[in-house]
Amino acid sequence: MGKDKDKDKVQYQLKTPKGTKDWDGKDMVIRDKIFTDITKVFKRHGAVTIDTPVFERKEILSGKYGEDSKLIYDLKDQGGELSSLRYDLTVPFARWLAMNPAVQNIKRYHLAKVYRRDQPAVKKGRMREFYQCDFDIAGNYDPMLPDAEILRITTEVFTELGWKEKYTIKINHRKLLDGIFQVCGVPPEKLRAISSAVDKLDKAPWTEVRREMVEEKGLSEPVADAVGGFVCQHGLRDLLSTLQANSDLTSNAAAKKGLEDMELLFGYLEAFDVLDKVSLDLSLARGLDYYTGVIYEVVTEGSAPSTAASNEGQAHRAKRRPPKSAPAKAEAQGGASSTTDVASKNEDDEEDRSSDPSVGVGSIAAGGRYDDLVGMFSGKGQIPCVGISFGLDRIFSLTKSRLSSGSATSNAPKIRSTEVEVYVMAFGGKGFDGMLRPRMAIAKRLWDGGIKTEFSYKVRPKLPAQFKAAEADDVPFAVILGESEQANGEVRVKELGLPDGHPEKDGVLVAIESLVSEVRRRLTRKQSLAEEAAAEGNGATEEDQQQQQQQQQEGGVGGAVRGGEEQGEQQHAKVQQKMDDLTVQ
């Protein structure tokens, strides 16, 4: 009977779907901090937020993403309408604008998950389910002013994140790029296909991109070489001047418009003190079909793959690629299976590409101008738009890598799993009952005062165990109850982690009635000192940061506090290492 029950028991494969992950512990702390920093900048620039459904009608998303349309997750028809998971937040925003014609101008931000059936590299932040943080400006304004503010916002975001000079904003213009293609002789029907090929120059060498244009896209070799003469260039005002001096480009209407916009944009970026972060990169194409003007993406040293896609990376993928399936063979022979279905089956059989050296983190933010997208839905009037999307998971991946490698500044605040500010403890001698009710009363008092507080759930906890619990979460202060102190209506407030010899190493006695105000004062002071140290940098001198107070007479709980803390500290390193092991991937 028992064996039959075991046979019927469902066996679960406990793993998340490919390209997804659970978030917990310190990873959540880092992610929430990134959310907070980005949102702070968005609000600084007057944006309001909206939210849209996680899935859209399939027709809304179709035909907006070029070759990447195959990455859209289509949902099974449930007897109603055909729907797909959203691929980005831009197309849903344009649909929202079309549905709300009274809104003719808006600064909007949106932080939400999107979904792409791409080959993931989870440890590099390349996911199938991931967060985008979008900021868009919609409305009719004078040329390039909203575009310049978007790029200013971009620099403020990375300043807020502490990245400083560790990134570059690559920019280009769709009209300039189309004009270059036209001047080089690219047929009109091949413009988008060649644009998609050129966009791969950040991942593959020119020889590989040229081969794709000639052998796969059907472009003639002389035209491909002419394109290469342009798209392999990057610079700033020097490159812009060179392009403006090219009579073939200035006689092309699209290229001329692009050059005029870039000249205007450079002047505005100079006024916003952003120009030194920018590089005019003619290989930047952005594969999405809806872009109409300026385009840009943000890259950092971790964006590029460690090897070219054409050698070691291909070998890596070849080792992991399964044999061609029967449906794939049928398709190759003209069978009925769809290309999308075949791609889906082959991709789903491949493993995560986190260890593939040809896969980098990629761009960490990207966007551009899309003036015609709203009109595709409404058919009435256009609402010009420009925006940028920050890839939170990629930013997280690089941020965590910097923290793990120690490249973050030594005075950066420690990452804590919780925000608890005070741990309430108790100590007593022989016959000690744990002082549970008094501990609960002190915790309540602190909670009522808005102070983040915890205490042990054991009735009679040992003092070293209480210190260990506080130190494991890097709680900055302890409020310690002792029998004699309680009789006097006092508790001991102790800042944890002070060095030996510090005048407040054992804590200070505080009247229970003034406990909340005293803890608040100390928390504020500690925060101010931390901010000052961060501003001063690594060269800050180590001096006594605490206000000198008359040291309380040793006795009561004081001596026991030292003993308990010492025992707790002996175990702290081991506990901290375990926590780090849990959060480092």
Side-chain angles (χ1 to χ4, degrees):
M1 192 72 174
K3 290 183 179 179
D4 290 340
K5 282 186 178 179
D6 290 341
K7 189 183 296 183
D8 294 337
K9 189 175 181 180
V10 177
Q11 297 294 319
Y12 294 100
Q13 185 178 15
L14 295 178
K15 56 179 286 189
T16 61
K18 187 171 72 170
T20 66
K21 62 172 287 186
D22 292 322
W23 292 83
D24 55 37
K26 293 184 179 179
D27 284 0
M28 281 294 295
V29 176
I30 297 172
R31 193 182 79 171
D32 286 350
K33 177 66 163 57
I34 295 171
F35 273 143
T36 300
D37 290 342
I38 293 176
T39 302
K40 185 190 304 181
V41 175
F42 289 171
K43 290 181 177 180
R44 185 186 302 155
H45 286 261
V48 298
T49 189
I50 69 169
D51 196 13
T52 60
V54 73
F55 54 92
E56 295 275 347
R57 290 171 59 89
K58 184 176 180 179
E59 62 193 41
I60 295 293
L61 303 183
S62 298
K64 310 300 187 303
Y65 303 108
E67 292 184 356
D68 285 347
S69 291
K70 65 180 181 292
L71 303 181
I72 294 174
Y73 273 104
D74 293 330
L75 302 180
K76 185 177 180 181
D77 182 6
Q78 299 292 335
E81 53 197 11
L82 295 176
S83 300
S84 302
L85 293 179
R86 61 188 174 201
Y87 177 92
D88 65 7
L89 302 178
T90 305
V91 172
F93 174 54
R95 188 264 307 152
W96 179 85
L97 283 171
M99 289 179 62
N100 294 271
V103 180
Q104 289 297 305
N105 56 76
I106 186 175
K107 286 182 177 179
R108 150 276 194 193
Y109 74 92
H110 191 183
L111 280 61
K113 287 182 177 180
V114 299
Y115 300 85
R116 298 181 187 178
R117 203 185 64 219
D118 203 353
Q119 269 313 112
V122 172
K123 291 183 180 180
K124 296 177 180 178
R126 302 178 70 95
M127 316 280 284
R128 287 185 162 185
E129 176 192 64
F130 57 96
Y131 272 98
Q132 284 190 334
C133 308
D134 281 24
F135 186 105
D136 294 79
I137 302 174
N140 283 285
Y141 301 102
D142 287 344
M144 296 295 105
L145 283 169
D147 310 65
E149 184 171 0
I150 290 290
L151 294 175
R152 170 66 196 187
I153 288 166
T154 302
T155 63
E156 289 184 23
V157 164
F158 288 108
T159 297
E160 199 72 42
L161 292 171
W163 287 37
K164 296 184 179 179
E165 308 300 324
K166 294 180 168 57
Y167 65 93
T168 299
I169 305 173
K170 299 198 300 184
I171 66 172
N172 201 359
H173 198 294
R174 263 291 174 83
K175 287 185 170 60
L176 174 58
L177 192 61
D178 286 351
I180 288 173
F181 290 160
Q182 291 165 10
V183 167
C184 292
V186 177
E189 68 275 9
K190 293 185 182 294
L191 286 179
R192 292 283 73 86
I194 298 305
S195 180
S196 294
V198 167
D199 202 40
K200 298 173 184 175
L201 277 170
D202 63 334
K203 299 181 280 289
W206 164 245
T207 53
E208 181 66 21
V209 172
R210 182 184 184 278
R211 184 202 63 76
E212 179 181 333
M213 290 195 297
V214 173
E215 297 180 12
E216 298 179 22
K217 311 296 185 185
L219 200 65
S220 68
E221 292 190 359
V223 172
D225 291 336
V227 169
F230 282 101
V231 299
C232 292
Q233 298 184 64
H234 58 86
L236 203 57
R237 286 196 179 277
D238 55 341
L239 177 56
L240 183 61
S241 297
T242 299
L243 298 174
Q244 290 170 328
N246 187 313
S247 59
D248 290 335
L249 289 180
T250 54
S251 62
N252 178 278
K256 183 180 180 182
K257 171 61 176 170
L259 290 170
E260 290 172 351
D261 282 351
M262 296 303 282
E263 177 70 33
L264 193 58
L265 179 63
F266 279 11
Y268 294 154
L269 294 181
E270 198 165 35
F272 279 156
D273 195 24
V274 173
L275 195 57
D276 62 329
K277 314 290 194 309
V278 166
S279 170
L280 174 56
D281 192 323
L282 297 182
S283 70
L284 180 63
R286 303 291 299 146
L288 306 183
D289 285 350
Y290 51 69
Y291 288 124
T292 58
V294 172
I295 50 177
Y296 33 79
E297 67 179 27
V298 182
V299 296
T300 185
E301 56 192 17
S303 295
S306 58
T307 67
S310 58
N311 42 57
E312 187 177 340
Q314 288 185 343
H316 175 93
R317 292 193 296 278
K319 286 192 295 182
R320 295 181 175 273
R321 187 176 295 123
K324 185 179 285 188
S325 63
K329 292 178 182 177
E331 173 66 16
Q333 297 168 5
S337 298
S338 72
T339 304
T340 302
D341 288 342
V342 172
S344 173
K345 289 173 183 175
N346 284 342
E347 287 172 358
D348 286 343
D349 285 340
E350 291 186 15
E351 296 182 21
D352 181 280
R353 296 177 65 192
S354 295
S355 59
D356 187 339
S358 72
V359 178
V361 170
S363 62
I364 50 180
R369 175 161 288 281
Y370 52 102
D371 287 346
D372 301 335
L373 188 54
V374 177
M376 290 184 186
F377 299 129
S378 66
K380 295 179 181 178
Q382 297 288 358
I383 301 181
C385 301
V386 63
I388 189 165
S389 178
F390 296 87
L392 178 130
D393 298 80
R394 295 183 183 187
I395 292 173
F396 167 85
S397 176
L398 291 170
T399 299
K400 185 172 179 179
S401 176
R402 287 175 58 223
L403 291 171
S404 299
S405 66
S407 60
T409 57
S410 62
N411 58 344
K414 295 180 69 174
I415 299 171
R416 299 178 54 208
S417 298
T418 74
E419 296 182 7
V420 174
E421 297 165 322
V422 173
Y423 199 97
V424 179
M425 307 180 184
F427 164 80
K430 188 175 181 181
F432 174 61
D433 65 359
M435 302 180 70
L436 177 59
R437 294 294 291 269
R439 282 187 287 131
M440 295 172 70
I442 292 296
K444 176 190 175 299
R445 180 183 291 269
L446 292 169
W447 289 330
D448 289 344
I451 296 170
K452 300 161 187 170
T453 305
E454 281 192 331
F455 66 96
S456 173
Y457 288 160
K458 285 189 172 293
V459 174
R460 286 189 292 274
K462 295 181 179 179
L463 191 60
Q466 294 175 86
F467 272 110
K468 177 181 174 182
E471 291 166 353
D473 286 334
D474 292 312
V475 178
F477 288 94
V479 170
I480 307 169
L481 286 71
E483 293 169 329
S484 60
E485 286 80 358
Q486 187 191 18
N488 296 326
E490 295 176 322
V491 292
R492 189 171 291 270
V493 176
K494 173 177 171 57
E495 181 174 351
L496 301 178
L498 291 177
D500 290 337
H502 193 284
E504 293 185 0
K505 176 68 174 175
D506 294 337
V508 295
L509 290 174
V510 175
I512 291 177
E513 291 302 318
S514 59
L515 175 63
V516 170
S517 60
E518 178 63 21
V519 170
R520 281 180 183 161
R521 186 185 71 80
R522 290 174 175 272
L523 286 168
T524 300
R525 180 172 176 78
K526 187 175 179 67
Q527 178 64 29
S528 297
L529 292 172
E531 290 173 356
E532 289 173 12
E536 290 172 3
N538 295 333
T541 58
E542 292 186 9
E543 57 182 351
D544 184 9
Q545 304 284 6
Q546 297 291 323
Q547 181 180 2
Q548 297 297 321
Q549 298 183 10
Q550 182 178 0
Q551 188 173 2
Q552 301 295 322
Q553 183 177 4
E554 197 169 288
V557 78
V561 166
R562 280 198 307 278
E565 185 178 18
E566 286 167 3
Q567 292 181 50
E569 286 173 347
Q570 290 173 2
Q571 304 172 62
H572 174 57
K574 205 174 288 185
V575 174
Q576 187 64 49
Q577 183 61 51
K578 288 181 180 178
M579 288 192 65
D580 290 341
D581 291 343
L582 287 173
T583 56
V584 174
Q585 296 180 350

